[in-house]
Amino acid sequence: MKPLAPRLHAAPRWLFWLLLLSGALLLGLCILFPVLGVLEWVAAVPSGLAILTAVRDRSIRLRRMYGYGFCFFGCFYLVNFHWFLYMYPLTFAGLSDAASAVVVIVAWFGLSALQTVGAAALFPLFAVAVRGKFLSGKPILQPLLFAALWAVREWIQASIGWAGVPWARLPLGQVGLRLTLQSAAFLGSYFVTFLLIAVSMLIADLLLHPDRARLCGILAGSLLVGDLALGGLRLLTRPAEGNAVQVAAIQGNMSSLEKWSGNSASAERYETLTRKAAAEGATLIVWPETALTVTIDRSAAARDRLSRLARETGATLLVGVFTSGTGTESNRQYNSVVAFLPDGSMCETVYSKQKPVPFGEFVPYRELVMLLVPPLADIGMLENDLLVGDRSEVFDLGVGRVGSLICFDSIYESTALDSVRRGAQLLAVSTNDSWFQDSRGVWMHNAQSSLRAIETGRYVVRAGNTGVSSVIDPTGQVTAELDPLLTGYVSGTVRLCEERTLYTRIGNLFAYLCAALCAAAVLANPAEMVMRRLRAGRKSE
């Protein structure tokens, strides 16, 4: 096989760009459509050919490398966030068609750009490391470094607050395979990200330099086989599970306009569906995020209604509502989940959302946004920014210990991890995805819950206002599911789990190790230059 490296150096620029962007497009499509999960293991090969060729060409400056990274991740994120288009028109927010178009386009391009600005730095950082004395002589390690940098980038996204939005994680493309995702129970989903990119980059290096074909092939094959072995081990040796609980997730299918209209249709629909689910044996029934748009501690009528419903059905209800702030924040609200027990009492434990949605539940830099794009500040349905919960809470109920997550909470592994560490035997996700209609966005959000189930080794019951509602087992298998924009509920039998996965014990240790190795590789070259200059200065003296 003839090496591709010399031919790529001499190839026209359009071929370089075709390779770079086609890989970004393929990766994005694999996340959107997990049925393409097998393809994701080689999706980055075209981009890998372009990236490895560019970083090894010392005539290409770091500034241009950043430009390559910006174009690559810009394409990647525009694909992943295309579902913003389904939000048009924003009539529920009282916006005109023109204002809706502005908000949707700004949100789509703006969020993509926000993620891309930071992500693009991966390319020049990779170039600095590759061109250093240590890695330039060890090309076999370069594909692994790029994979580690990508994993660290995803980890940083989930750690930097509202601007991170870790929505487009590579492991989401594997939920259709499941076997390849089980290693997340051992080392977390960032390990899966590392494997996906490492295999593609090794194959790209194999094509560029056939003289390294055997070594690259063996290493890529070993990583894939190792992942499959971990997956098989987990599926064959699932830990013992505890008591069975019959659960149901209610999907009221209330549009955003209906939801905030203030009428009683929402409560009546949820009551009807709850009675039907309880009649079929459900003892734990989960309602979506803010299923009732009332402040529960200020509405005796709502409390009495839910108390009566719990007594009549004999079920435990987890209900999405608002709760009041305290002290100087008494005029503001939390987005919360409360529990009503079969005896009609309201549980003292209340969980409040820790990861509010930017521009939906709060407006970052509100004054600046009001100045530049006023409609974007009006998209939310609330007068004031919501308060943010400061900790995970576990409901100690008669049916078991349940950890609650609300909407955006479920895309951050830290919230589920903390719930399990606090003793949760089961996870319940309450969400409102009505903004996304039936786009790929709702399916991507549901896939995040599959990741949380695998990482924590817990069943997940997910109630979506307009869907997707689902029941997911600890291997990420969706055992019951209700499609978007349908009215009804899903039910199933789950089991309470006590045993902890390795990941819940060590957390993101793999990401920390990747970060340390990346920092050492990137800083080795500047440190070497500084040392040379210091030695030269001493000699001149």
Side-chain angles (χ1 to χ4, degrees), residues 417-434:
L417 194 62
D418 194 35
S419 288
V420 171
R421 287 173 171 174
R422 289 177 179 271
Q425 301 167 303
L426 171 70
L427 295 177
V429 177
S430 298
T431 186
N432 173 31
D433 294 344
S434 59

Side-chain angles (χ1 to χ4, degrees), residues 31-366:
I31 296 174
L32 288 176
F33 302 100
V35 69
L36 303 175
V38 173
L39 177 62
E40 193 176 22
W41 287 91
V42 295
V45 170
S47 293
L49 295 171
I51 294 166
L52 289 172
T53 300
V55 296
R56 290 165 179 169
D57 184 350
R58 294 178 179 270
S59 68
I60 298 178
R61 296 185 176 183
L62 297 182
R63 181 172 55 189
R64 188 190 294 181
M65 289 301 304
Y66 182 84
Y68 292 157
F70 193 90
C71 292
F72 174 88
F73 282 108
C75 176
F76 176 76
Y77 282 114
L78 283 172
V79 170
N80 275 287
F81 289 123
H82 82 282
W83 44 260
F84 272 108
L85 297 172
Y86 285 75
M87 293 175 63
Y88 178 86
L90 299 167
T91 52
F92 61 87
L95 300 182
S96 65
D97 288 352
S100 296
V102 170
V103 169
V104 168
I105 295 300
V106 168
W108 182 25
F109 281 88
L111 184 55
S112 298
L114 184 64
Q115 305 309 303
T116 298
V117 166
L122 189 153
F123 280 49
L125 288 175
F126 183 46
V128 169
V130 166
R131 295 169 187 177
K133 184 177 181 181
F134 178 72
L135 276 184
S136 63
K138 299 177 178 61
I140 192 63
L141 298 180
Q142 294 169 10
L144 302 181
L145 175 66
F146 188 77
L149 282 167
W150 192 303
V152 170
R153 184 192 64 80
E154 283 193 357
W155 168 60
I156 291 174
Q157 270 190 310
S159 308
I160 61 175
W162 71 267
V165 191
W167 183 268
R169 294 186 179 187
L170 295 185
L172 296 177
Q174 298 297 296
V175 295
L177 298 179
R178 235 175 16 108
L179 177 62
T180 56
L181 263 185
Q182 300 308 310
S183 55
F186 299 95
L187 296 173
S189 59
Y190 301 118
F191 178 65
V192 179
T193 293
F194 171 85
L195 294 175
L196 288 166
I197 295 298
V199 168
S200 279
M201 294 297 286
L202 284 166
I203 293 174
D205 199 32
L206 178 156
L207 296 173
L208 288 171
H209 301 280
D211 56 307
R212 294 198 289 269
R214 178 175 296 181
L215 185 56
C216 288
I218 290 174
L219 187 51
S222 298
L223 292 175
L224 180 56
V225 170
D227 181 59
L228 294 174
L230 284 175
L233 176 65
R234 175 139 197 275
L235 293 177
L236 291 173
T237 60
R238 285 179 58 175
E241 297 175 344
N243 295 334
V245 178
Q246 190 71 15
V247 299
I250 307 298
Q251 185 168 303
N253 194 30
M254 306 295 293
S255 71
S256 295
L257 188 60
E258 292 176 297
K259 182 180 171 68
W260 296 97
S261 63
N263 59 42
S264 60
S266 179
E268 291 170 358
R269 185 176 299 180
Y270 279 104
E271 284 186 10
T272 299
L273 292 170
T274 295
R275 287 191 171 91
K276 289 181 178 179
E280 292 185 4
T283 56
L284 175 64
I285 300 176
V286 183
W287 288 19
E289 176 185 20
T290 57
L292 301 181
T293 56
V294 299
T295 306
I296 194 69
D297 47 310
R298 295 181 180 175
S299 176
R303 292 197 304 274
D304 290 344
R305 191 168 188 168
L306 290 168
S307 175
R308 184 168 57 253
L309 181 63
R311 284 198 306 272
E312 290 176 0
T313 59
T316 298
L317 311 180
L318 285 179
V319 182
V321 293
F322 292 109
T323 56
S324 300
T326 58
T328 58
E329 302 289 358
S330 59
N331 63 325
R332 296 172 63 191
Q333 301 165 305
Y334 290 99
N335 182 347
S336 304
V337 166
V338 297
F340 283 84
L341 306 179
D343 63 4
S345 63
M346 179 175 163
C347 183
E348 292 184 1
T349 301
V350 175
Y351 173 69
S352 296
K353 189 174 184 178
Q354 298 179 74
K355 305 292 184 181
V357 180
F359 303 103
E361 294 172 316
F362 78 102
V363 180
Y365 309 114
R366 181 181 287 273

Side-chain angles (χ1 to χ4, degrees), residues 14-29:
W14 66 263
L15 180 59
F16 174 88
W17 285 105
L18 178 63
L19 291 171
L20 183 69
L21 298 181
S22 61
L25 177 63
L26 287 172
L27 283 172
L29 290 175

Side-chain angles (χ1 to χ4, degrees), residues 253-525:
N253 194 30
M254 306 295 293
S255 71
S256 295
L257 188 60
E258 292 176 297
K259 182 180 171 68
W260 296 97
S261 63
N263 59 42
S264 60
S266 179
E268 291 170 358
R269 185 176 299 180
Y270 279 104
E271 284 186 10
T272 299
L273 292 170
T274 295
R275 287 191 171 91
K276 289 181 178 179
E280 292 185 4
T283 56
L284 175 64
I285 300 176
V286 183
W287 288 19
E289 176 185 20
T290 57
L292 301 181
T293 56
V294 299
T295 306
I296 194 69
D297 47 310
R298 295 181 180 175
S299 176
R303 292 197 304 274
D304 290 344
R305 191 168 188 168
L306 290 168
S307 175
R308 184 168 57 253
L309 181 63
R311 284 198 306 272
E312 290 176 0
T313 59
T316 298
L317 311 180
L318 285 179
V319 182
V321 293
F322 292 109
T323 56
S324 300
T326 58
T328 58
E329 302 289 358
S330 59
N331 63 325
R332 296 172 63 191
Q333 301 165 305
Y334 290 99
N335 182 347
S336 304
V337 166
V338 297
F340 283 84
L341 306 179
D343 63 4
S345 63
M346 179 175 163
C347 183
E348 292 184 1
T349 301
V350 175
Y351 173 69
S352 296
K353 189 174 184 178
Q354 298 179 74
K355 305 292 184 181
V357 180
F359 303 103
E361 294 172 316
F362 78 102
V363 180
Y365 309 114
R366 181 181 287 273
E367 293 183 1
L368 180 61
V369 172
M370 286 294 294
L371 177 65
L372 299 178
V373 193
L376 197 57
D378 297 330
I379 189 175
M381 304 301 296
L382 304 168
E383 294 182 2
N384 299 311
D385 292 346
L386 286 177
L387 295 169
V388 181
D390 59 0
R391 56 176 283 173
S392 297
E393 297 287 354
V394 175
F395 292 90
D396 195 353
L397 308 171
V399 295
R401 297 190 301 276
V402 182
S404 179
L405 307 175
I406 301 176
C407 189
F408 240 38
D409 288 336
S410 65
I411 74 173
Y412 295 85
E413 75 281 350
S414 58
T415 51
L417 194 62
D418 194 35
S419 288
V420 171
R421 287 173 171 174
R422 289 177 179 271
Q425 301 167 303
L426 171 70
L427 295 177
V429 177
S430 298
T431 186
N432 173 31
D433 294 344
S434 59
W435 327 83
F436 307 153
Q437 299 295 318
D438 58 349
S439 69
R440 293 308 305 174
V442 297
W443 297 102
M444 292 172 73
H445 202 182
N446 189 59
Q448 297 272 8
S449 291
S450 288
L451 285 186
R452 304 292 86 84
I454 295 170
E455 291 165 347
T456 60
R458 296 294 184 265
Y459 282 86
V460 176
V461 185
R462 187 179 193 273
N465 174 28
T466 57
V468 175
S469 296
S470 58
V471 179
I472 304 171
D473 77 11
T475 69
Q477 175 70 48
V478 177
T479 60
E481 187 174 76
L482 185 60
D483 287 349
L485 306 184
L486 297 177
T487 302
Y489 59 89
V490 292
S491 60
T493 301
V494 303
R495 292 191 174 273
L496 305 177
C497 301
E498 289 282 359
E499 291 190 34
R500 300 252 302 267
T501 63
L502 177 63
Y503 176 67
T504 61
R505 297 179 185 279
I506 67 173
N508 288 321
L509 177 61
F510 178 77
Y512 299 147
L513 292 175
C514 283
L517 292 173
C518 289
V522 171
L523 296 176
N525 193 21

